[in-house]
Amino acid sequence: MKKHNIIMTAADYEELSYAIAAAVKFSQRGRAEMRALEAELARAEILEAKYLPPDVITMNSRAELLDLDSGERMEFILVFPSDANIEAGKISVLAPLGTAMLGYRVGDEFEWQVPYGIRKSKVNYVYFQPEAELKKAA
């Protein structure tokens, strides 16, 4: 599956870039997670929030994913590591799935690494995106 550019806001890009810069404080595993996130940021198309399509997964978005291997539907809120709580459906952007889902749109398919291989998922729906909600409130 070919990876295409992802979309993100300048604010998310900046905050995630700062996290990567601080990666020297992480364990070896943490540094590997940061490298994966850094690779995603390197292929990101950066947009001002007002131009961001409402179906893009950004930080703090709530989205439904479809596991293309098992058919399982999963719903997550993409959050920064300090807010992660998998029992509450809040997945860290540093988790392999969290990194993988960042910046994809409804209908997009993507792959992510698991200990036993590669999983394929599809973005079914973005229920909440902070940038879209701000546009509605304006």
Side-chain angles (χ1 to χ4, degrees):
M1 181 177 299
K2 185 177 184 247
K3 288 188 174 188
H4 59 78
N5 285 350
I6 60 173
I7 302 170
M8 70 175 51
T9 65
D12 284 350
Y13 182 85
E14 185 175 337
E15 193 159 351
L16 293 169
S17 294
Y18 285 137
I20 290 168
V24 295
K25 297 178 183 178
F26 287 89
S27 67
Q28 187 64 27
R29 179 173 178 225
R31 284 193 292 272
E33 292 164 345
M34 285 295 184
R35 283 192 298 276
L37 180 57
E38 187 174 36
E40 292 298 292
L41 295 183
R43 63 190 189 88
E45 176 184 351
I46 310 304
L47 297 177
E48 290 181 48
K50 65 183 177 182
Y51 298 119
L52 191 75
D55 65 344
V56 174
I57 299 174
T58 63
M59 295 306 300
N60 298 302
S61 289
R62 184 169 58 95
E64 178 183 289
L65 307 176
L66 173 66
D67 185 309
L68 295 174
D69 298 314
S70 70
E72 176 186 7
R73 294 182 189 276
M74 307 166 283
E75 189 175 313
F76 293 108
I77 300 169
L78 184 62
V79 298
F80 290 97
S82 61
D83 297 321
N85 179 340
I86 201 67
E87 291 81 24
K90 295 179 179 183
I91 190 165
S92 170
V93 69
L94 293 183
L97 176 56
T99 298
M101 65 191 278
L102 177 66
Y104 280 102
R105 299 179 73 171
V106 171
D108 286 345
E109 295 180 6
F110 62 92
E111 295 178 340
W112 51 288
Q113 185 72 42
V114 293
Y116 52 86
I118 301 286
R119 298 300 298 253
K120 295 179 181 136
S121 293
K122 178 180 178 181
V123 181
N124 273 351
Y125 199 81
V126 175
Y127 295 107
F128 173 83
Q129 181 205 76
E131 295 78 12
E133 293 303 310
L134 286 174
K135 286 183 217 175
K136 289 178 191 174

